[in-house]
Amino acid sequence: MVEAPQTAEGWFSLHDFRSIDWDAWREAPESERRRAIEEGEAFLKHRELVADADDGESALFSVLGHKADFLCLHFRPSLDDLSAIERRFEDTALAKFTERETSYVSVTEVSGYVSDDYFEEGADAVDEGLRRYIEGKLKPDIPDEEYVSFYPMSKRRGEEHNWYDLEFEERAELMAGHGEVGKEYAGKIKQVIASSVGFDEHEWGVTLFGADPTDIKDIVYEMRFDPASSRYGEFGDFYVGRRFPPTDLDAFLAGETVPTGRVPEEDSGGHPHGEGGHHGDDEGSHHGEGGGHGDDAHGRGEGHDHSGAGGGSAHGDHPHGEEAGGEGDHPHGEEEAGDGASGEDIRGELADLDIYAGKPHGEDVYATVLYSEADVDELFDEVEGLRGNFDHYGTHVKTAVYEGRHTDRAAVVSIWDTASAAETAAGFLSELPDIVARAGEESGFGTMGMFYTVKPDYQSEFVETFDDVGDLLGEMDGHVETDLMVNTEDENDMFIASQWNAKEDAMAFFRSDEFSETVQWGRDVLADRPRHVFLA
């Protein structure tokens, strides 16, 4: 008997496709329609806020074509949670104006293609990057205001081509080739693969998300030419739509273009699902944006891996401005730092000290920083290959290897215009040799100064001054480690990473006269002001 790969399951998924009875809607009294909108909006808002379970995600999408009018997508920890959602919707006044056209039930999974160690020895046996990648596949985020395509698929069991007659190694090789195609869409496509074996008509449900619907078309088209699809793939109906917030339900029913882009009054104060906001920071997915439709940055699933990068859940993005940012700070200043101080509080305290700590609303760039103990030359060769692929995307700013001066490790820094792209890159970068940590996870409070571009005439002086400051840091309570990392391709390009036991320990340093003098001096020797950076 051919070996069946092991699987691990995460959240259960319900794709609920509904159509509107437009004749009934038009004929209904205004008061009845208003009640339907209010109850429908309230129900959908509470689903997005996951007020009905301990964890999960939900989203609302318009659907084009005759198959349905809208899609409610739900991820929850149990099937019972999804069952309750179905029944509660039927209690709303909106439900009487809808008909369910179809639905799809599945459960997110990772398979034995991902990592033997994960299944044989447990999550603690794999590195942090892979562990977070797997977590992202099992507990996926849903991007805000993105186009969506859903379709079910199965592996062929024909007389000539039967996927389930192939040996494990042959299946793994096919999925690896499949994933190579998907890697070309890293940063453009996020996907969620969920198994429906025993749950629904097909074997997997594939949900693709992208800012440009033609990217969805292109990736599906290219995948059709890969043997994993051309010989062994069988597909059901495709559904395409676009996400919109529940507060736009009235506009949707009135035939307006959604999302409208308006900020509802009740959401304007930073509601996580108001305009431009989302649960856990869109782009947030913490470890790579794509899920598995075969092979990706970490491994392969039996389904169809389009993106080639890990799906992810947000770890808590944290801003690191010119001098500091707290672990856990949210890019929009909504979530709290690791020790209970919000991003706005930190920026305010630094501003009082005349220290620039970055813009408050994420107008700039996002960075993924991974540390490796590999030989720097070997690491650079690997990064250079990835960088060639990254450069195909307009959201890529730079990727470089920085060598530590006081630690035996190098840093790989990848900077992007969006957090989703940075997270996708993280999925690839975590596969680099001897990765030991990801910035922001090493201590109770981390700070990172980036984009230190030193005027060439001051390079030696800058390094010497850093060493003097480093001596001061070594004497401070709560200081764990600080290093000046230098770009292996440009000795004038540097960043400074510090680790502290707690935020107050770092703030004590920022309040010191020595630090203030260093900041003033830096304005004379740096070619550019360090830019605002979020650690994605």
Side-chain angles (χ1 to χ4, degrees):
M1 178 177 175
V2 175
E3 177 188 0
Q6 300 180 74
T7 62
E9 288 71 36
W11 286 343
F12 292 85
S13 171
L14 172 65
H15 291 68
D16 187 358
F17 291 93
R18 301 266 173 168
S19 63
I20 304 292
D21 184 342
W22 293 108
D23 289 337
W25 181 255
R26 284 186 292 267
E27 295 169 1
E30 177 62 27
S31 60
E32 194 172 338
R33 287 189 290 175
R34 175 50 48 191
R35 181 187 170 202
I37 290 172
E38 290 175 352
E39 291 189 10
E41 180 180 324
F43 172 86
L44 295 166
K45 272 187 176 181
H46 279 78
R47 302 295 80 73
E48 287 201 352
L49 290 171
V50 194
D52 52 37
D54 293 334
D55 214 341
E57 285 271 336
S58 288
L60 174 65
F61 300 85
S62 63
V63 176
L64 283 77
H66 72 283
K67 299 171 190 171
D69 289 312
F70 67 90
L71 159 67
C72 294
L73 172 59
H74 307 287
F75 293 106
R76 291 296 186 274
S78 73
L79 281 175
D80 288 344
D81 294 328
L82 296 180
S83 177
I85 288 175
E86 288 186 284
R87 287 178 277 110
R88 287 172 186 163
F89 178 76
E90 296 300 336
D91 286 338
T92 68
L94 177 63
K96 66 173 290 187
F97 294 102
T98 73
E99 292 184 11
R100 173 179 273 175
E101 295 296 341
T102 189
S103 63
Y104 207 82
V105 178
S106 54
V107 61
T108 59
E109 72 170 9
V110 293
S111 75
Y113 298 115
V114 174
S115 167
D116 291 336
D117 290 342
Y118 179 82
F119 285 95
E120 294 175 3
E121 302 179 37
D124 293 339
V126 300
D127 63 74
E128 177 65 16
L130 178 55
R131 186 161 57 249
R132 290 167 57 187
Y133 157 75
I134 292 172
E135 181 74 7
K137 287 194 70 174
L138 297 180
K139 299 178 180 181
D141 290 332
I142 303 174
D144 254 3
E145 299 181 2
E146 299 272 338
Y147 289 94
V148 66
S149 174
F150 170 79
Y151 60 93
M153 63 150 304
S154 298
K155 289 300 187 184
R156 183 165 294 144
R157 291 177 290 170
E159 294 182 5
E160 181 179 2
H161 296 297
N162 187 331
W163 178 260
Y164 297 97
D165 280 342
L166 301 179
E167 295 296 331
F168 180 91
E169 291 76 14
E170 188 174 357
R171 282 179 275 130
E173 183 178 353
L174 283 166
M175 297 317 297
H178 202 61
E180 287 301 314
V181 179
K183 287 178 182 178
E184 299 176 10
Y185 291 84
K188 293 183 178 181
I189 297 294
K190 174 181 178 178
Q191 71 173 19
V192 175
I193 301 298
S195 173
S196 48
V197 176
F199 291 168
D200 222 310
E201 184 175 358
H202 287 76
E203 295 171 341
W204 288 275
V206 181
T207 310
L208 305 178
F209 303 93
D212 185 340
T214 61
D215 288 335
I216 295 174
K217 176 196 75 74
D218 290 344
I219 193 171
V220 173
Y221 180 67
E222 287 192 45
M223 286 293 182
R224 291 295 173 92
F225 291 89
D226 183 80
S229 288
S230 63
R231 296 177 192 168
Y232 298 103
E234 295 181 339
F235 304 90
D237 288 339
F238 283 68
Y239 296 80
V240 65
R242 190 179 186 191
R243 184 170 184 177
F244 69 96
T247 49
D248 279 351
L249 183 60
D250 58 343
F252 170 77
L253 291 168
E256 298 177 24
T257 299
V258 290
T260 62
R262 68 191 181 194
V263 182
E265 182 178 349
E266 64 269 28
D267 284 346
S268 61
H271 189 288
H273 292 280
E275 180 190 34
H278 32 291
H279 185 66
D281 184 24
D282 144 13
E283 305 179 277
S285 268
H286 195 70
H287 205 67
E289 286 294 10
H293 193 80
D295 184 56
D296 48 33
H298 291 290
R300 294 161 294 280
E302 288 269 26
H304 243 7
D305 190 355
H306 283 321
S307 69
S313 58
H315 172 70
D317 299 334
H318 37 289
H320 293 271
E322 178 179 2
E323 323 305 342
E327 178 180 348
D329 295 346
H330 192 279
H332 301 286
E334 293 171 356
E335 295 188 1
E336 293 192 344
D339 63 350
S342 72
E344 286 300 322
D345 290 342
I346 292 171
R347 295 186 188 94
E349 292 180 56
L350 293 175
D352 291 341
L353 300 173
D354 194 28
I355 300 170
Y356 171 74
K359 299 176 183 178
H361 299 300
E363 299 92 339
D364 217 326
V365 294
Y366 295 78
T368 287
V369 182
L370 295 159
Y371 294 108
S372 171
E373 293 180 348
D375 176 79
V376 173
D377 292 335
E378 176 189 352
L379 184 65
F380 177 80
D381 290 342
E382 296 280 348
V383 170
E384 191 172 29
L386 286 175
R387 188 167 59 186
N389 292 328
F390 292 166
D391 285 339
H392 287 99
Y393 303 105
T395 54
H396 183 229
V397 177
K398 67 181 285 187
T399 296
V401 176
Y402 292 75
E403 188 169 8
R405 295 181 64 251
H406 297 294
T407 56
D408 295 328
R409 63 183 186 179
V412 180
V413 178
S414 193
I415 300 170
W416 300 76
D417 287 333
T418 67
S420 61
E423 286 298 342
T424 300
F428 292 96
L429 296 172
S430 65
E431 289 287 296
L432 291 169
D434 298 328
I435 295 295
V436 294
R438 185 169 177 171
E441 298 175 347
E442 307 97 314
S443 64
F445 186 84
T447 67
M448 182 165 290
M450 281 191 160
F451 292 100
Y452 282 88
T453 304
V454 183
K455 296 175 183 177
D457 292 343
Y458 291 95
Q459 201 272 346
S460 297
E461 187 177 352
F462 183 87
V463 172
E464 292 172 2
T465 300
F466 169 81
D467 289 339
D468 292 339
V469 174
D471 292 338
L472 173 65
L473 287 171
E475 300 172 359
M476 298 198 68
D477 292 337
H479 176 254
V480 178
E481 177 185 271
T482 293
D483 200 5
L484 178 68
M485 313 291 290
V486 182
N487 190 333
T488 58
E489 298 171 273
D490 180 1
E491 66 176 5
N492 298 313
D493 175 22
M494 311 178 194
F495 76 86
I496 299 172
S498 293
Q499 299 300 322
W500 304 81
N501 288 332
K503 172 226 172 188
E504 279 308 314
D505 296 323
M507 293 303 299
F509 171 62
F510 297 141
R511 296 187 186 101
S512 69
D513 293 338
E514 291 85 353
F515 180 79
S516 178
E517 292 169 2
T518 302
V519 171
Q520 295 296 331
W521 172 79
R523 291 168 180 164
D524 295 326
V525 303
L526 297 178
D528 299 297
R529 195 178 199 189
R531 294 173 66 188
H532 179 89
V533 172
F534 290 142
L535 280 185

